[in-house]
Amino acid sequence: MNFDLTEEQELLQETVRGFVANECPPPRLREIFDSGEGTDPALWQGMAEMGLAGLMIPEEYGGAGMELLELALVAEALGSGVLPGPFLGHSLAALALMLAGSDVQKRQWLPRLATGDVIGTYAVAEEDSQWEPSEWSVTERAGKLNGTKLYVPHADIADLIVVGCSGGGLALVERETRGVSLENMQGIDRTRPIFKIVFDAADAEALESGEAASQRVRDAALVLLAADSFGVASSLIRMSVDYAKTREQFGTIIGQFQSVKHQLARLSTDIEPTRALVWYAAHAFDHLPEDAERAAAIVNSHLTDRAMHTARESVELHGGLGFTWECDVQMWYKRAMFNRSAFGTPDVVRGRVATLGGW
């Protein structure tokens, strides 16, 4: 791998960063955050018009045909502005269909997912934080789905839900079908509202090769969460530096204190070198299947942990203000919390790294 981005990849990421800065500045972000809805139809429409809803979907189905690396670059840019919206669940649902759907299922859903007219989400977690395909218990038999899924992002606005089933299989369910009921779980990150979904003999279609695909989708999710966390942590450091340049204490700008300088420098040196880890894990997913699972687990466990540490330190650097609802840091803090828990905490994911290493 050439450890640098192409001009096209840099342009893609800069375009998305510009979109986030222009369309969702902090005042608008706070409005969405305070409302608790976690979405803005205009934002999603704008993302869809940029092609982000179908970035990895093959061109024959109306997508851009790009790879996970491009998707991770977008996730980093969205994480830097903690942009609300269904991008994560939608991307994973589309990927699951690409990997495991039949030709009929792909022709039916992928074009509409690519335009963003249909929103997808991905439902895998169960009781006791069971994210692993081998632990799923929801059953699909004769086209009927039974069981419960937890922590499903943006399920309230999703048209299509890809559900993990016992044995690691996957199934498609339309949200409006009979036998599907939702309950808001009041998650702490209001940019990604989460839901409990109960399936009671809901009509469903099994994906052809779901068992093989579910592992790949999990790895993609780990990489995207790591990329989002990198964006979150980078923004928190910038916000803390800006605050340290303006906040006075004892008649002195606090950024002049050695302890503050050292704290900010440590955070920067913790985060910036991990950018290459994200790029490598995404590249491995696309081109190095023998290393993809391990790379995804390593980058996720490291980045989500580091981002959470950065969030805690940023609250401290903002002093008493950092602990309050009025301080914008809390929105980035809560996004870091979501990323750290989704698809397994760092300790759980590190356990997989150890297993893969034969320890």
Side-chain angles (χ1 to χ4, degrees), residues 158-179:
D159 306 288
L160 187 68
I161 308 168
V162 178
V163 184
C165 303
S166 59
L170 296 170
L172 290 179
V173 181
E174 294 184 56
R175 180 174 59 87
E176 292 296 338
T177 196
R178 188 169 58 184

Side-chain angles (χ1 to χ4, degrees), residues 58 60-61 96-111 172 205-209:
E60 64 181 296
Y61 298 111
L97 260 170
M98 289 162 49
L99 294 173
S102 66
D103 289 342
V104 172
Q105 290 166 334
K106 290 177 183 177
R107 286 196 298 271
Q108 181 180 2
W109 293 109
L110 287 180
L172 290 179
E205 288 183 32
L207 297 186
E208 278 189 344
S209 51

Side-chain angles (χ1 to χ4, degrees), residues 39-59:
T39 189
D40 178 344
L43 282 177
W44 179 247
Q45 180 65 29
M47 293 174 68
E49 290 173 356
M50 293 168 63
L52 303 185
L55 205 63
M56 281 188 74
I57 294 175
E59 294 180 6

Side-chain angles (χ1 to χ4, degrees), residues 35-355:
S35 74
E37 295 177 356
T39 189
D40 178 344
L43 282 177
W44 179 247
Q45 180 65 29
M47 293 174 68
E49 290 173 356
M50 293 168 63
L52 303 185
L55 205 63
M56 281 188 74
I57 294 175
E59 294 180 6
E60 64 181 296
Y61 298 111
M66 294 188 177
E67 299 182 334
L68 189 67
L69 178 53
E70 282 79 14
L71 208 62
L73 296 174
V74 171
E76 179 194 327
L78 299 182
S80 68
V82 291
L83 194 84
F87 177 79
L88 176 65
H90 179 86
S91 299
L92 296 177
L95 179 61
L97 260 170
M98 289 162 49
L99 294 173
S102 66
D103 289 342
V104 172
Q105 290 166 334
K106 290 177 183 177
R107 286 196 298 271
Q108 181 180 2
W109 293 109
L110 287 180
R112 288 189 282 171
L113 288 168
T115 61
D117 295 333
V118 166
I119 296 175
T121 193
Y122 194 61
V124 288
E126 298 185 2
E127 291 287 349
D128 300 321
S129 297
Q130 293 179 333
W131 296 89
E132 282 296 300
S134 61
E135 298 169 339
W136 297 338
S137 63
V138 169
T139 58
E140 186 281 321
R141 293 190 181 92
K144 299 294 181 183
L145 202 65
N146 286 284
T148 302
K149 289 293 183 181
L150 305 176
Y151 318 124
V152 184
H154 285 99
D156 58 330
I157 60 170
D159 306 288
L160 187 68
I161 308 168
V162 178
V163 184
C165 303
S166 59
L170 296 170
L172 290 179
V173 181
E174 294 184 56
R175 180 174 59 87
E176 292 296 338
T177 196
R178 188 169 58 184
V180 176
S181 58
L182 306 183
E183 178 185 335
N184 193 321
M185 298 185 72
Q186 305 297 331
I188 194 167
D189 177 12
R190 294 188 173 193
T191 67
R192 289 186 184 138
I194 52 176
F195 292 83
K196 172 182 177 180
I197 307 181
V198 176
F199 302 100
D200 182 9
D203 291 336
E205 288 183 32
L207 297 186
E208 278 189 344
S209 51
E211 188 172 347
S214 57
Q215 305 281 354
R216 291 277 288 162
V217 179
R218 178 204 58 199
D219 293 342
L222 294 178
V223 175
L224 294 179
L225 288 166
D228 193 281
S229 298
F230 182 88
V232 169
S234 298
S235 286
L236 282 167
I237 294 170
R238 284 194 295 273
M239 294 161 69
S240 299
V241 169
D242 290 344
Y243 183 76
K245 288 178 178 177
T246 57
R247 171 65 175 166
E248 288 189 17
Q249 192 72 26
F250 309 116
T252 302
I253 299 294
I254 65 171
Q256 295 182 6
F257 296 136
Q258 283 295 329
S259 60
V260 174
K261 290 180 182 178
H262 290 169
Q263 193 171 3
L264 289 168
R266 281 197 302 273
L267 292 178
S268 183
T269 53
D270 271 354
I271 295 300
E272 187 58 30
T274 62
R275 186 192 300 270
L277 285 178
V278 178
W279 292 358
Y280 178 77
H283 174 76
F285 181 90
D286 294 324
H287 300 286
L288 304 172
E290 71 281 0
D291 201 29
E293 184 176 358
R294 181 173 176 272
I298 288 174
V299 74
N300 179 273
S301 57
H302 188 68
L303 254 299
T304 57
D305 226 6
R306 288 292 87 194
M308 197 65 244
H309 173 74
T310 302
R312 293 192 187 98
E313 296 274 305
S314 296
V315 168
E316 291 180 9
L317 284 162
H318 280 74
L321 178 67
F323 192 67
T324 66
W325 184 269
E326 287 72 21
C327 182
D328 286 345
V329 167
Q330 54 108 356
M331 294 184 283
W332 276 259
Y333 187 105
K334 290 164 183 171
R335 181 85 158 221
M337 289 182 73
F338 178 100
N339 290 346
R340 190 178 185 277
S341 300
F343 286 84
T345 62
D347 285 346
V348 171
V349 180
R350 286 192 187 100
R352 187 180 311 122
V353 176
T355 300

